[in-house]
């Protein structure tokens, strides 16, 4: 199973430790194509600040999205890139799980919460304690690939 994990990079790295724990758990279900998103060494400047670097990052990530079987996004820290990835993933008919922490005090974008259809696009509010069970639930409903 190929998993595409989305998390904020240039949108801010406040939640990087949460991304790391989620990615560690996701790795028990399959290959996480975007492991770098959870690296504490990656700053909010991203992998490469040059324009050529950005084209490489975009094209590689869209290609990984196409290859992926499921998309899991931590959407608490708002990120243009994550929103874009989710929009592209919807268009590719991917199975998507978005995870949001209400304890952040933020209100999730209507374009994410409102996209929940209970099947292909699922949004779950969670606390860090609940994350493992929510992932367990989500993946137990997916045929192992
Ligand atoms: O350096 C990067 N590498 C990379 O893979 N991304 C992708 C993966 C993340 O899920 C998403 C983050 O977008 P943003 O940087 O706008 O917060 O975009 C984004 C950047 C920087 O924008």
């Amino acid at each position: 199973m190929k998993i595409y994990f989305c998390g904020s990079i240039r949108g801010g790295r406040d939640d990087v430790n949460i991304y790391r724990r989620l990615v560690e758990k996701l790795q028990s279900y399959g290959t996480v194509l975007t492991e770098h998103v959870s690296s504490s060494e990656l700053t909010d400047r991203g992998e490469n600040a040059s324009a050529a670097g950005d084209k490489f990052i975009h094209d590689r990530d869209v290609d990984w999205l196409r290859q992926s079987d499921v998309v899991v996004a931590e959407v608490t820290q708002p990120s243009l890139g994550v929103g874009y990835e989710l929009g592209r993933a919807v268009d590719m008919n991917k199975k998507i799980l978005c995870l949001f922490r209400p304890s952040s005090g933020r209100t999730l974008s209507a374009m994410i919460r409102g996209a929940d259809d209970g099947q292909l696009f699922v949004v779950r509010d969670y606390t860090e304690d609940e994350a493992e069970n929510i992932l367990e639930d989500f993946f137990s409903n997916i045929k192992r690939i």
Side-chain angles (χ1 to χ4, degrees):
M1 158 117 47
K2 289 184 184 168
I3 303 164
Y4 191 104
F5 176 77
C6 311
S8 171
I9 298 179
R10 293 189 187 159
R13 298 293 283 161
D14 299 5
D15 290 344
V16 66
N17 291 330
I18 292 171
Y19 302 161
R20 204 190 56 248
R21 285 195 285 278
L22 290 172
V23 165
E24 276 169 14
K25 180 69 182 165
L26 289 172
Q27 284 169 333
S28 67
Y29 300 107
T31 304
V32 178
L33 300 171
T34 52
E35 188 182 9
H36 64 283
V37 173
S38 70
S39 165
S40 52
E41 277 158 38
L42 188 58
T43 70
D44 64 4
R45 298 182 59 186
E47 292 172 76
N48 188 326
S50 78
D54 284 357
K55 177 153 182 57
F56 172 82
I57 290 165
H58 171 272
D59 293 355
R60 178 203 61 195
D61 285 3
V62 171
D63 195 48
W64 277 342
L65 256 186
R66 271 198 199 94
Q67 289 177 38
S68 67
D69 300 301
V70 294
V71 176
V72 176
E74 215 299 4
V75 294
T76 309
Q77 171 89 62
S79 153
L80 284 172
V82 172
Y84 174 83
E85 288 165 336
L86 290 170
R88 295 293 303 257
V90 166
D91 205 43
M92 294 175 197
N93 288 314
K94 299 294 178 183
K95 177 131 181 87
I96 299 168
L97 173 65
C98 294
L99 298 170
F100 178 76
R101 300 188 326 282
S103 62
S104 63
R106 296 183 191 274
T107 304
L108 181 59
S109 167
M111 297 308 287
I112 302 300
R113 192 171 302 278
D116 189 326
D117 62 10
Q119 292 206 337
L120 268 190
F121 197 116
V122 174
V123 178
R124 292 287 305 264
D125 289 334
Y126 79 109
T127 61
E128 278 191 72
D129 293 351
E130 295 167 336
E132 291 213 355
N133 285 342
I134 288 173
L135 292 179
E136 198 66 52
D137 240 40
F138 179 75
F139 282 95
S140 67
N141 289 322
I142 292 176
K143 191 169 138 278
R144 292 194 181 247
I145 298 167

